[in-house]
Amino acid sequence: YCVDDVAGLAPKPSPDYLLQVCSDFGITSGAYIGNSVDDMQAARAAELIAIGVANEQDREAIAGAGAQAIVSTCADIAQLLM
């Protein structure tokens, strides 16, 4: 979901949207892939694995926000998951 999809939920870094998706689809665990500090903070707060793509913010910022794995490009995600 995005900020306009469900009224009344707080935007990231709040985990509200991630928790709503998990609730709506019966997801009990998983990973969230994002490219910002807010994405990593939201993922960790939602108790999801936080995977950062360091293409807009530097690796140190992504790591400091709680990323549990960091890749440089979206293409690297497949390699990470194999």
Side-chain angles (χ1 to χ4, degrees), residues 20-72:
Q20 187 68 52
V21 167
C22 291
S23 175
D24 288 352
F25 293 96
I27 298 168
T28 58
S29 65
Y32 183 74
I33 301 168
N35 65 348
S36 72
V37 166
D38 286 353
D39 289 336
M40 298 304 100
Q41 292 173 340
R44 295 305 300 264
E47 299 183 3
L48 298 171
I49 297 167
I51 300 173
V53 180
N55 62 357
E56 291 188 19
Q57 295 186 328
D58 63 44
R59 291 175 99 66
E60 293 79 20
I62 298 284
Q68 293 157 285
I70 302 173
V71 297
S72 297

Side-chain angles (χ1 to χ4, degrees), residues 6-7 19 27 45 63 75-76:
V6 182
L19 294 171
I27 298 168
D76 296 335

